[in-house]
Amino acid sequence: MQRRRGNGFDRSSTAVAELELPPAVFKTCPWQPRELIETGLRQWLRCCAPALRDHQVIGMPSHAVDEAWHGLILCTARYQTFCATAYGKFMHHHPVGGAPAKMAAADPMDEQLRRTVIAWSLVAMPGEHCVLWDLDNRVGVDQPWGLDMARVAEIQAAITKLRPGAGN
């Protein structure tokens, strides 16, 4: 697949693609297929690049991916090295209610998820399907998080109006 050139996220995309995910990452993530969750985690980590660049907090649309991300964070040396390579700085995790008061994490989750869809539009390869929106339903999470596909389409349409050709 060919990457879009000039979007500024090649470094983070390369780091995400090269990131080794040992079994420890999935220790508290029992859902299957693991490959789908890994794809979701990699897409999430790519979405984090524009969010960090723009000092934004994005919402996590998948409980299963969140568990895998927690597992990656617990591999502290690997996570620290990955963040330095992908983003040039450490990416902290701010669970609901755990962010410093001055951060955008106080924004409603709907706003954070809207920013996740926007971030995806910036990092997606042409024609690439985002698995994050409905991943929890697909892997059988009991209380899935997700993002309604109609809401995703609405946000993508707004992006397209602002930047023709950006809605992937």
Side-chain angles (χ1 to χ4, degrees):
M1 284 188 224
Q2 185 176 353
R3 296 245 353 114
R4 279 191 283 194
R5 297 284 177 211
N7 69 4
F9 302 113
D10 290 339
R11 177 177 93 172
S12 59
S13 292
T14 299
V16 169
E18 293 175 353
L19 177 63
E20 290 184 40
L21 297 171
V25 168
F26 300 96
K27 192 174 181 179
T28 63
C29 185
W31 303 284
Q32 294 291 332
R34 182 172 286 175
E35 295 79 20
L36 183 60
I37 297 165
E38 181 177 323
T39 297
L41 176 59
R42 290 182 189 282
Q43 289 182 345
W44 165 256
L45 293 170
R46 286 170 42 213
C47 286
C48 292
L52 285 169
R53 180 199 66 189
D54 296 340
H55 308 288
Q56 296 290 318
V57 174
I58 59 175
M60 171 58 81
S62 167
H63 183 181
V65 171
D66 194 51
E67 283 298 318
W69 184 32
H70 293 171
L72 177 59
I73 291 169
L74 291 175
C75 299
T76 57
R78 181 182 305 266
Y79 184 68
Q80 180 182 23
T81 299
F82 164 75
C83 288
T85 302
Y87 312 124
K89 61 183 175 181
F90 190 80
M91 179 174 64
H92 293 278
H93 179 344
H94 302 291
V96 175
K102 66 181 181 177
M103 292 195 69
D107 289 342
M109 185 53 70
D110 184 61
E111 174 59 18
Q112 290 180 33
L113 290 170
R114 183 185 72 83
R115 288 194 295 256
T116 305
V117 176
I118 293 168
W120 175 251
S121 77
L122 297 171
V123 300
M125 290 183 263
E128 183 180 11
H129 171 74
C130 187
V131 302
L132 288 167
W133 318 137
D134 65 346
L135 188 142
D136 285 3
N137 284 325
R138 293 172 63 188
V139 300
V141 173
D142 286 338
Q143 296 180 342
W145 295 356
L147 190 55
D148 181 69
M149 294 309 289
R151 178 71 174 133
V152 172
E154 176 186 312
I155 296 164
Q156 290 174 331
I159 293 167
T160 301
K161 284 181 185 177
L162 294 174
R163 290 181 296 121
N168 286 328

